[in-house]
Amino acid sequence: MWFSSFSINARRRLVLGALLAAATVASAPCMAAADWRTLLPQAQAVGGGDLRWFGLRIYHATLWSASRPFDATQPFALQLSYYRSISRERLVRTSMEEIRRLSPAPIAAATVARWEAQLFSAFVDVRDGDELTGVYLPGNGMRLYDRQRLLAELNDEALARAFFDIWLNPDSRDPTLRLRLLGTPP
């Protein structure tokens, strides 16, 4: 009897140990991906500058890439360090307004709704001193990080391109900031 209860307990421990090991292995990629720099270990700052609105500094943007010269078809990161508090709702609304403005054709209502929902789930409220970094992953989409963790992985290539176009499109709202991000003197 002792032997059969030992076998059951031993089996339970083996199963629990295997589950714990599997959970540890499964979470390892998430822990490794907690910092955007693990995706772009060779990235260097291409350029940067402040976004101002009516003279108020909103954030400092820095474009990071391993490609020289910068190649928007290769992985890159855009880091925003905020000087102001902005709600998640405002970030989503402003992003979608710019995405629609820059789109060469009207975006279907279903796509707009899907993208708004994805951005709302990815964004957080920001305060003075907060930092968000978006990483463009060609063929996959993008990942969004704060200073401490991965906030979201959005596997939507079209959304990722449209989102980063807010800063990198020649018709960007702030063409001087765009040139500074690309390392070109304005």
Side-chain angles (χ1 to χ4, degrees):
M1 186 152 185
W2 178 82
F3 181 76
S4 56
S5 70
F6 175 79
S7 296
I8 290 171
N9 287 336
R11 276 185 265 164
R12 283 184 186 153
R13 277 183 284 205
L14 284 172
V15 169
L16 287 174
L19 289 173
L20 181 59
T24 302
V25 169
S27 68
C30 293
M31 289 186 289
D35 182 359
W36 68 267
R37 294 173 198 274
T38 60
L39 294 172
L40 300 170
Q42 304 299 318
Q44 297 176 7
V46 175
D50 285 345
L51 174 75
R52 294 179 180 272
W53 188 253
F54 293 110
L56 299 173
R57 291 186 324 164
I58 307 300
Y59 57 73
H60 182 82
T62 306
L63 181 63
W64 297 85
S65 177
S67 313
R68 296 294 182 159
F70 175 71
D71 180 355
T73 66
Q74 298 300 309
F76 63 84
L78 181 70
Q79 186 175 52
L80 304 178
S81 301
Y82 289 87
Y83 298 122
R84 304 240 171 254
S85 295
I86 305 172
S87 71
R88 170 196 332 207
E89 292 83 7
R90 177 71 184 227
L91 292 172
V92 171
R93 185 174 61 247
T94 302
S95 296
M96 288 307 301
E97 286 170 2
E98 286 302 295
I99 286 170
R100 283 193 297 270
R101 185 182 71 79
L102 292 167
S103 178
I107 303 170
T111 300
V112 168
R114 186 178 74 248
W115 287 0
E116 283 177 343
Q118 288 177 320
L119 292 177
F120 191 82
S121 71
F123 289 173
V124 294
D125 296 338
V126 295
R127 295 186 317 257
D128 180 14
D130 284 351
E131 184 178 280
L132 296 179
T133 304
V135 178
Y136 175 64
L137 301 168
N140 293 319
M142 67 184 211
R143 290 184 184 171
L144 184 68
Y145 296 83
D146 66 10
R147 283 196 169 125
Q148 299 159 351
R149 68 192 197 289
L150 173 65
L151 297 173
E153 184 168 355
L154 304 179
N155 296 317
D156 188 323
E157 172 77 11
L159 171 57
R161 282 193 319 266
F163 178 75
F164 289 109
D165 257 3
I166 294 170
W167 295 271
L168 301 176
N169 187 300
D171 293 325
S172 168
R173 180 85 54 194
D174 189 336
T176 301
L177 176 59
R178 176 184 175 269
L179 290 174
R180 287 187 173 133
L181 285 169
L182 295 173
T184 307

